[in-house]
Protein backbone atom coordinates (compact mmCIF):
# COMPACT_ATOMS: atom_id res chain seq x y z
CA UNK A 1 0.00 0.00 0.00
CA UNK A 2 1.38 3.40 -0.99
CA UNK A 3 2.00 5.80 1.89
CA UNK A 4 0.91 9.40 1.44
CA UNK A 5 2.68 12.38 2.92
CA UNK A 6 1.97 12.41 6.68
CA UNK A 7 -1.04 14.64 7.42
CA UNK A 8 0.84 17.09 9.62
CA UNK A 9 3.51 17.57 6.98
CA UNK A 10 0.96 18.07 4.22
CA UNK A 11 -0.88 20.70 6.21
CA UNK A 12 2.24 22.58 7.26
CA UNK A 13 3.56 22.57 3.70
CA UNK A 14 0.25 23.95 2.46
CA UNK A 15 0.45 26.81 4.96
CA UNK A 16 4.05 27.56 4.08
CA UNK A 17 3.22 27.76 0.40
CA UNK A 18 0.41 30.18 1.19
CA UNK A 19 2.84 32.41 3.07
CA UNK A 20 0.86 32.28 6.30
CA UNK A 21 2.28 32.95 9.75
CA UNK A 22 3.12 29.56 11.30
CA UNK A 23 3.22 30.48 15.00
CA UNK A 24 2.11 29.49 17.54
CA UNK A 25 3.47 25.96 17.35
CA UNK A 26 2.56 24.84 20.89
CA UNK A 27 -0.65 23.93 22.74
CA UNK A 28 0.49 25.84 25.82
CA UNK A 29 -2.66 27.65 27.00
CA UNK A 30 -4.56 26.62 23.86
CA UNK A 31 -6.23 23.31 24.79
CA UNK A 32 -9.71 22.96 23.23
CA UNK A 33 -9.49 26.38 21.56
CA UNK A 34 -11.65 27.00 18.48
CA UNK A 35 -10.21 26.07 15.08
CA UNK A 36 -8.29 28.89 13.41
CA UNK A 37 -7.15 28.26 9.83
CA UNK A 38 -4.24 30.68 10.26
CA UNK A 39 -2.57 28.50 12.90
CA UNK A 40 0.03 26.02 11.70
CA UNK A 41 -1.06 23.40 14.23
CA UNK A 42 -4.12 22.97 16.42
CA UNK A 43 -5.23 21.96 19.90
CA UNK A 44 -8.97 21.36 19.50
CA UNK A 45 -10.72 18.04 20.15
CA UNK A 46 -10.77 17.09 16.46
CA UNK A 47 -7.15 17.86 15.57
CA UNK A 48 -6.12 14.18 16.02
CA UNK A 49 -8.75 13.19 13.45
CA UNK A 50 -7.24 15.51 10.86
CA UNK A 51 -3.65 14.93 11.90
CA UNK A 52 -2.89 18.61 12.49
CA UNK A 53 -2.26 18.77 16.25
CA UNK A 54 0.75 20.54 17.68
CA UNK A 55 3.54 18.20 18.77
CA UNK A 56 2.80 18.78 22.46
CA UNK A 57 -0.98 18.23 22.13
CA UNK A 58 -0.90 14.81 23.80
CA UNK A 59 1.27 15.90 26.73
CA UNK A 60 -0.62 19.15 27.39
CA UNK A 61 -4.19 18.38 26.32
CA UNK A 62 -4.57 14.62 26.10
CA UNK A 63 -4.55 13.92 29.82
CA UNK A 64 -4.73 10.24 30.66
CA UNK A 65 -7.75 8.49 32.04
CA UNK A 66 -7.21 7.42 35.68
CA UNK A 67 -4.31 9.88 35.79
CA UNK A 68 -4.67 10.34 39.55
CA UNK A 69 -5.20 6.68 40.34
CA UNK A 70 -2.69 4.15 41.56
CA UNK A 71 -3.75 1.79 38.76
CA UNK A 72 -3.26 4.24 35.88
CA UNK A 73 -2.31 2.55 32.62
CA UNK A 74 0.88 4.05 31.23
CA UNK A 75 1.65 4.83 27.60
CA UNK A 76 4.35 2.16 27.65
CA UNK A 77 1.88 -0.44 28.91
CA UNK A 78 -0.58 0.50 26.18
CA UNK A 79 2.10 0.15 23.53
CA UNK A 80 3.19 -3.20 24.90
CA UNK A 81 -0.29 -4.74 25.09
CA UNK A 82 -1.27 -3.36 21.67
CA UNK A 83 1.76 -5.12 20.17
CA UNK A 84 0.65 -8.35 21.86
CA UNK A 85 -2.88 -7.92 20.48
CA UNK A 86 -1.42 -7.22 17.04
CA UNK A 87 0.60 -10.46 17.12
CA UNK A 88 -2.40 -12.42 18.42
CA UNK A 89 -4.64 -11.50 15.47
CA UNK A 90 -4.41 -14.80 13.58
CA UNK A 91 -7.79 -14.17 11.93
CA UNK A 92 -6.60 -11.10 10.03
CA UNK A 93 -6.41 -11.06 6.24
CA UNK A 94 -3.23 -12.27 4.58
CA UNK A 95 -1.64 -10.21 1.80
CA UNK A 96 -3.24 -12.39 -0.88
CA UNK A 97 -6.72 -12.10 0.69
CA UNK A 98 -7.21 -8.46 -0.30
CA UNK A 99 -6.27 -6.49 -3.41
CA UNK A 100 -6.70 -2.79 -2.67
CA UNK A 101 -6.84 -0.03 -5.27
CA UNK A 102 -6.25 3.15 -3.26
CA UNK A 103 -5.71 5.37 -6.35
CA UNK A 104 -5.69 9.13 -5.68
CA UNK A 105 -4.18 10.63 -2.53
CA UNK A 106 -5.37 14.21 -1.91
CA UNK A 107 -4.33 16.90 0.56
CA UNK A 108 -6.38 17.53 3.73
CA UNK A 109 -7.47 20.89 2.33
CA UNK A 110 -9.33 19.09 -0.47
CA UNK A 111 -11.46 16.80 1.69
CA UNK A 112 -14.46 19.15 1.64
CA UNK A 113 -14.56 19.32 -2.16
CA UNK A 114 -16.74 16.20 -2.50
CA UNK A 115 -15.06 15.35 -5.79
CA UNK A 116 -14.76 11.73 -6.91
CA UNK A 117 -11.11 11.42 -7.89
CA UNK A 118 -11.08 7.60 -8.02
CA UNK A 119 -12.98 6.08 -10.94
CA UNK A 120 -12.50 2.50 -9.70
CA UNK A 121 -13.68 0.79 -6.49
CA UNK A 122 -11.37 0.68 -3.48
CA UNK A 123 -11.54 -3.11 -3.24
CA UNK A 124 -10.44 -4.98 -6.36
CA UNK A 125 -10.64 -8.36 -4.60
CA UNK A 126 -11.49 -9.77 -1.18
CA UNK A 127 -11.27 -13.45 -0.31
CA UNK A 128 -14.75 -13.91 1.12
CA UNK A 129 -13.75 -17.17 2.76
CA UNK A 130 -12.65 -14.84 5.57
CA UNK A 131 -16.29 -14.11 6.27
CA UNK A 132 -17.06 -17.73 7.11
CA UNK A 133 -14.83 -17.54 10.18
CA UNK A 134 -16.96 -17.44 13.36
CA UNK A 135 -16.12 -13.89 14.45
CA UNK A 136 -16.58 -12.46 10.93
CA UNK A 137 -19.88 -14.29 10.48
CA UNK A 138 -21.17 -13.09 13.85
CA UNK A 139 -20.04 -9.55 13.04
CA UNK A 140 -21.80 -9.50 9.67
CA UNK A 141 -25.05 -10.61 11.31
CA UNK A 142 -25.03 -7.43 13.40
CA UNK A 143 -24.72 -4.95 10.53
CA UNK A 144 -28.34 -5.16 9.35
CA UNK A 145 -29.78 -4.53 12.81
CA UNK A 146 -29.70 -0.73 12.59
CA UNK A 147 -31.41 2.22 10.93
CA UNK A 148 -28.69 4.59 9.82
CA UNK A 149 -30.69 7.82 10.24
CA UNK A 150 -30.34 9.39 13.67
CA UNK A 151 -33.58 10.44 15.35
CA UNK A 152 -35.24 7.11 14.59
CA UNK A 153 -35.37 4.84 17.61
CA UNK A 154 -33.71 1.43 17.51
CA UNK A 155 -35.74 -1.56 18.69
CA UNK A 156 -33.94 -4.90 18.87
CA UNK A 157 -35.76 -8.17 18.34
CA UNK A 158 -34.99 -11.21 20.47
CA UNK A 159 -32.93 -12.58 17.57
CA UNK A 160 -30.92 -9.35 17.26
CA UNK A 161 -30.19 -9.37 20.99
CA UNK A 162 -29.06 -12.97 20.66
CA UNK A 163 -26.77 -11.95 17.78
CA UNK A 164 -25.05 -9.44 20.08
CA UNK A 165 -24.42 -12.19 22.62
CA UNK A 166 -23.15 -14.54 19.92
CA UNK A 167 -20.68 -11.95 18.68
CA UNK A 168 -19.33 -11.32 22.17
CA UNK A 169 -19.13 -15.04 22.86
CA UNK A 170 -17.23 -15.74 19.64
CA UNK A 171 -14.70 -12.93 20.01
CA UNK A 172 -14.00 -13.92 23.62
CA UNK A 173 -12.79 -17.28 22.32
CA UNK A 174 -9.99 -15.57 20.38
CA UNK A 175 -6.41 -14.96 21.50
CA UNK A 176 -6.93 -11.25 20.79
CA UNK A 177 -9.67 -10.80 23.38
CA UNK A 178 -8.02 -13.14 25.86
CA UNK A 179 -4.93 -10.94 25.65
CA UNK A 180 -7.02 -7.82 26.26
CA UNK A 181 -8.95 -9.28 29.18
CA UNK A 182 -5.79 -10.66 30.78
CA UNK A 183 -4.20 -7.21 30.63
CA UNK A 184 -7.25 -5.38 32.04
CA UNK A 185 -7.68 -7.99 34.77
CA UNK A 186 -4.04 -7.52 35.75
CA UNK A 187 -4.68 -3.77 35.82
CA UNK A 188 -7.53 -4.27 38.32
CA UNK A 189 -10.20 -3.03 35.90
CA UNK A 190 -12.25 -6.25 35.90
CA UNK A 191 -12.42 -9.02 38.47
CA UNK A 192 -13.89 -11.65 36.15
CA UNK A 193 -14.41 -12.33 32.46
CA UNK A 194 -18.17 -12.25 33.04
CA UNK A 195 -17.92 -8.72 34.40
CA UNK A 196 -15.78 -7.71 31.42
CA UNK A 197 -18.20 -9.13 28.83
CA UNK A 198 -21.18 -7.54 30.59
CA UNK A 199 -19.45 -4.17 30.50
CA UNK A 200 -18.57 -4.56 26.81
CA UNK A 201 -22.21 -5.27 25.99
CA UNK A 202 -23.41 -2.14 27.77
CA UNK A 203 -20.55 0.00 26.51
CA UNK A 204 -20.96 -0.93 22.84
CA UNK A 205 -24.58 -2.06 22.38
CA UNK A 206 -26.39 0.05 24.98
CA UNK A 207 -28.76 2.52 23.28
CA UNK A 208 -28.74 6.27 23.83
CA UNK A 209 -30.07 9.35 22.06
CA UNK A 210 -28.17 11.38 19.46
CA UNK A 211 -31.29 13.20 18.25
CA UNK A 212 -34.90 13.95 19.28
CA UNK A 213 -34.56 12.12 22.59
CA UNK A 214 -34.97 8.79 20.79
CA UNK A 215 -32.83 5.81 21.79
CA UNK A 216 -31.45 5.87 18.28
CA UNK A 217 -27.75 5.09 18.55
CA UNK A 218 -25.03 2.97 20.09
CA UNK A 219 -21.26 2.82 19.94
CA UNK A 220 -21.35 -0.28 17.75
CA UNK A 221 -23.82 1.22 15.28
CA UNK A 222 -21.85 4.45 15.00
CA UNK A 223 -18.32 3.05 14.73
CA UNK A 224 -18.86 -0.15 12.75
CA UNK A 225 -22.13 0.24 10.84
CA UNK A 226 -22.30 4.01 10.29
CA UNK A 227 -24.96 6.66 10.71
CA UNK A 228 -26.35 9.66 8.88
CA UNK A 229 -26.98 12.87 10.80
CA UNK A 230 -27.88 16.27 9.33
CA UNK A 231 -27.14 15.06 5.82
CA UNK A 232 -23.63 13.76 6.58
CA UNK A 233 -22.12 10.36 7.27
CA UNK A 234 -20.90 9.95 10.83
CA UNK A 235 -18.89 7.01 12.12
CA UNK A 236 -18.57 4.16 9.58
CA UNK A 237 -14.98 3.12 10.38
CA UNK A 238 -14.99 -0.53 9.33
CA UNK A 239 -13.46 -2.08 6.20
CA UNK A 240 -15.80 -5.07 6.09
CA UNK A 241 -18.86 -2.83 6.16
CA UNK A 242 -17.26 -0.64 3.48
CA UNK A 243 -16.50 -3.61 1.24
CA UNK A 244 -20.01 -5.07 1.53
CA UNK A 245 -21.65 -1.71 0.81
CA UNK A 246 -19.29 -1.02 -2.09
CA UNK A 247 -20.07 -4.47 -3.51
CA UNK A 248 -23.79 -3.60 -3.43
CA UNK A 249 -23.15 -0.30 -5.22
CA UNK A 250 -24.06 1.79 -2.17
CA UNK A 251 -20.58 3.18 -1.47
CA UNK A 252 -18.56 5.22 -3.95
CA UNK A 253 -14.90 5.61 -2.98
CA UNK A 254 -13.66 9.16 -3.74
CA UNK A 255 -10.03 9.46 -2.51
CA UNK A 256 -7.78 9.08 0.50
CA UNK A 257 -5.53 11.39 2.51
CA UNK A 258 -3.50 8.79 4.37
CA UNK A 259 -2.22 5.28 3.70
CA UNK A 260 -0.38 3.67 6.59
CA UNK A 261 3.20 2.33 6.68
CA UNK A 262 2.36 -1.35 7.21
CA UNK A 263 3.39 -3.73 4.43
CA UNK A 264 0.88 -6.37 5.53
CA UNK A 265 -2.62 -6.36 7.01
CA UNK A 266 -3.97 -4.77 9.07
CA UNK A 267 -3.14 -1.41 7.53
CA UNK A 268 -4.82 2.00 7.96
CA UNK A 269 -6.52 4.16 5.35
CA UNK A 270 -8.12 7.59 5.85
CA UNK A 271 -10.55 8.14 3.00
CA UNK A 272 -13.39 10.12 1.49
CA UNK A 273 -16.50 8.46 0.11
CA UNK A 274 -20.18 8.80 -0.73
CA UNK A 275 -22.56 6.45 1.04
CA UNK A 276 -25.79 6.21 -0.93
CA UNK A 277 -26.03 9.98 -1.37
CA UNK A 278 -24.28 11.13 1.81
CA UNK A 279 -20.65 12.26 2.05
CA UNK A 280 -17.92 11.25 4.48
CA UNK A 281 -15.19 13.88 4.66
CA UNK A 282 -12.59 11.88 6.62
CA UNK A 283 -13.25 8.23 7.39
CA UNK A 284 -10.30 6.36 8.86
CA UNK A 285 -10.39 2.57 9.09
CA UNK A 286 -8.22 -0.46 9.64
CA UNK A 287 -7.97 -2.55 6.48
CA UNK A 288 -7.74 -6.34 6.68
CA UNK A 289 -8.11 -6.63 10.45
CA UNK A 290 -10.37 -9.15 12.13
CA UNK A 291 -13.51 -7.88 13.89
CA UNK A 292 -12.07 -8.88 17.26
CA UNK A 293 -8.87 -6.90 16.62
CA UNK A 294 -10.71 -3.62 16.03
CA UNK A 295 -13.12 -4.28 18.86
CA UNK A 296 -10.21 -5.00 21.21
CA UNK A 297 -8.15 -1.91 20.37
CA UNK A 298 -11.11 0.47 20.49
CA UNK A 299 -12.27 -1.04 23.80
CA UNK A 300 -8.76 -0.84 25.23
CA UNK A 301 -8.51 2.84 24.38
CA UNK A 302 -12.00 3.66 25.63
CA UNK A 303 -11.29 1.97 28.96
CA UNK A 304 -7.76 3.35 29.38
CA UNK A 305 -8.15 6.79 27.75
CA UNK A 306 -11.87 7.64 27.63
CA UNK A 307 -12.35 10.71 25.45
CA UNK A 308 -8.60 11.08 24.93
CA UNK A 309 -5.91 10.30 22.39
CA UNK A 310 -4.59 6.78 22.98
CA UNK A 311 -1.02 6.07 21.86
CA UNK A 312 -0.43 2.50 20.69
CA UNK A 313 2.15 0.53 18.71
CA UNK A 314 1.49 -2.07 15.99
CA UNK A 315 4.31 -3.97 14.38
CA UNK A 316 6.80 -1.36 15.50
CA UNK A 317 4.84 1.56 14.04
CA UNK A 318 3.16 4.15 16.31
CA UNK A 319 -0.57 4.58 15.99
CA UNK A 320 -3.12 6.73 17.82
CA UNK A 321 -6.82 6.11 18.42
CA UNK A 322 -9.29 8.75 19.56
CA UNK A 323 -12.38 7.78 21.54
CA UNK A 324 -15.28 9.94 22.65
CA UNK A 325 -17.66 9.29 25.52
CA UNK A 326 -21.40 9.88 25.47
CA UNK A 327 -22.04 12.02 28.53
CA UNK A 328 -25.80 12.60 28.21
CA UNK A 329 -26.74 9.18 29.59
CA UNK A 330 -24.92 6.53 31.59
CA UNK A 331 -25.26 2.91 32.69
CA UNK A 332 -24.25 1.06 35.83
CA UNK A 333 -22.38 3.15 38.40
CA UNK A 334 -22.27 6.23 36.21
CA UNK A 335 -20.31 4.53 33.43
CA UNK A 336 -20.38 6.26 30.06
CA UNK A 337 -21.33 4.84 26.69
CA UNK A 338 -18.83 4.90 23.86
CA UNK A 339 -19.84 7.55 21.33
CA UNK A 340 -17.13 6.94 18.73
CA UNK A 341 -13.66 5.58 18.19
CA UNK A 342 -11.35 5.80 15.22
CA UNK A 343 -7.74 5.75 14.12
CA UNK A 344 -6.43 9.28 14.06
CA UNK A 345 -2.78 9.02 13.06
CA UNK A 346 0.13 6.75 12.34
CA UNK A 347 3.56 7.75 11.10
CA UNK A 348 6.84 6.15 10.24
Amino acid sequence: MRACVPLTVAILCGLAWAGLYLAPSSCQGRCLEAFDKHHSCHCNARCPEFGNCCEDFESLCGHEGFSHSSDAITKEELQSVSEKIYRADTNKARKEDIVLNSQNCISPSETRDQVDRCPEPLFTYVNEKLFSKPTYSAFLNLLNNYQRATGRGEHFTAQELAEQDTFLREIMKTAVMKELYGFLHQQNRYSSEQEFVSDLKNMWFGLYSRSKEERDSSGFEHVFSGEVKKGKVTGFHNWIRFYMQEKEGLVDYYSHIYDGPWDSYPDVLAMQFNWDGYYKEVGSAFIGSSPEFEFALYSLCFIARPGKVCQLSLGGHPLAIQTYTWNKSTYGNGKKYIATAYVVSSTH
Side-chain angles (χ1 to χ4, degrees):
M1 296 176 71
R2 182 172 62 87
C4 299
V5 177
L7 301 187
T8 49
V9 174
I11 291 170
L12 289 176
C13 287
L15 289 172
W17 293 334
L20 298 175
Y21 177 54
L22 297 182
S25 60
S26 169
C27 283
Q28 187 69 44
R30 296 173 56 206
C31 291
L32 303 182
E33 71 172 8
F35 176 80
D36 185 334
K37 66 180 181 180
H38 296 104
H39 288 164
S40 61
C41 63
H42 306 277
C43 308
N44 57 71
R46 296 195 70 191
C47 73
E49 179 181 353
F50 291 95
N52 56 9
C53 301
C54 297
E55 289 187 3
D56 56 6
F57 171 78
E58 169 65 14
S59 60
L60 295 180
C61 306
H63 302 300
E64 300 178 352
F66 291 81
S67 59
H68 300 294
S69 170
S70 60
D71 62 349
I73 297 174
T74 67
K75 176 181 175 181
E76 291 71 26
E77 288 170 330
L78 284 174
Q79 291 175 331
S80 175
V81 72
S82 58
E83 285 287 4
K84 292 177 181 178
I85 289 171
Y86 177 76
R87 291 192 294 270
D89 188 16
T90 57
N91 279 336
K92 67 183 179 181
R94 299 165 298 175
K95 280 188 178 182
E96 61 268 27
D97 287 329
I98 298 175
V99 178
L100 208 64
N101 186 10
S102 55
Q103 301 167 76
N104 251 327
C105 178
I106 65 173
S107 69
S109 63
E110 297 175 283
T111 59
R112 296 182 180 179
D113 294 348
Q114 301 191 33
V115 175
D116 186 356
R117 295 179 172 87
C118 297
E120 299 175 358
L122 174 62
F123 288 95
T124 300
Y125 168 77
V126 171
N127 179 5
E128 294 194 7
K129 289 182 180 178
L130 284 170
F131 302 154
S132 64
K133 294 184 176 184
T135 58
Y136 285 81
S137 177
F139 176 81
L140 286 167
N141 286 338
L142 295 171
L143 295 178
N144 63 355
N145 293 349
Y146 300 97
Q147 305 177 80
R148 70 178 184 178
T150 58
R152 298 173 63 184
E154 300 287 357
H155 304 282
F156 297 128
T157 65
Q159 178 179 337
E160 289 169 343
L161 290 171
E163 288 171 351
Q164 295 173 8
D165 291 332
T166 298
F167 174 71
L168 291 171
R169 184 170 60 252
E170 290 299 334
I171 65 172
M172 287 305 299
K173 295 176 183 177
T174 66
V176 163
M177 291 300 290
K178 290 184 184 301
E179 194 71 59
L180 175 60
Y181 170 68
F183 172 74
L184 294 172
H185 177 67
Q186 186 180 37
Q187 293 287 331
N188 300 315
R189 299 305 174 92
Y190 298 97
S191 60
S192 68
E193 187 173 304
Q194 182 180 2
E195 179 190 0
F196 177 52
V197 173
S198 177
D199 196 34
L200 288 176
K201 184 170 184 179
N202 283 314
M203 181 192 307
W204 282 101
F205 295 103
L207 293 174
Y208 51 77
S209 171
R210 284 186 187 269
S211 176
K212 300 180 181 178
E213 302 304 315
E214 293 280 352
R215 285 161 52 87
D216 61 343
S217 184
S218 68
F220 185 92
E221 177 184 7
H222 183 87
V223 174
F224 293 103
S225 183
E227 297 179 292
V228 172
K229 184 176 182 179
K230 297 180 178 179
K232 294 183 179 180
V233 178
T234 64
F236 200 137
H237 299 288
N238 178 256
W239 76 270
I240 300 170
R241 173 68 162 166
F242 191 101
Y243 166 72
M244 299 301 287
Q245 291 287 282
E246 186 177 65
K247 182 180 177 182
E248 292 181 26
L250 297 175
V251 161
D252 185 0
Y253 172 65
Y254 275 20
S255 55
H256 68 283
I257 58 171
Y258 181 81
D259 191 345
W262 294 271
D263 59 5
S264 62
Y265 297 116
D267 205 335
V268 175
L269 195 69
M271 53 194 163
Q272 293 67 52
F273 58 90
N274 184 296
W275 184 24
D276 196 24
Y278 300 96
Y279 184 63
K280 180 69 175 182
E281 185 175 328
V282 180
S284 60
F286 287 105
I287 305 292
S289 55
S290 69
E292 61 265 28
F293 175 83
E294 292 184 57
F295 200 80
L297 287 192
Y298 292 147
S299 298
L300 170 66
C301 285
F302 186 70
I303 292 164
R305 301 286 188 274
K308 310 295 182 184
V309 176
C310 177
Q311 300 288 345
L312 307 178
S313 178
L314 301 180
H317 295 288
L319 171 137
I321 287 176
Q322 172 76 53
T323 64
Y324 288 98
T325 61
W326 192 256
N327 297 322
K328 295 181 181 179
S329 57
T330 59
Y331 69 91
N333 300 306
K335 287 190 174 183
K336 299 174 182 178
Y337 293 105
I338 185 166
T340 192
Y342 49 83
V343 183
V344 292
S345 66
S346 57
T347 57
H348 291 279

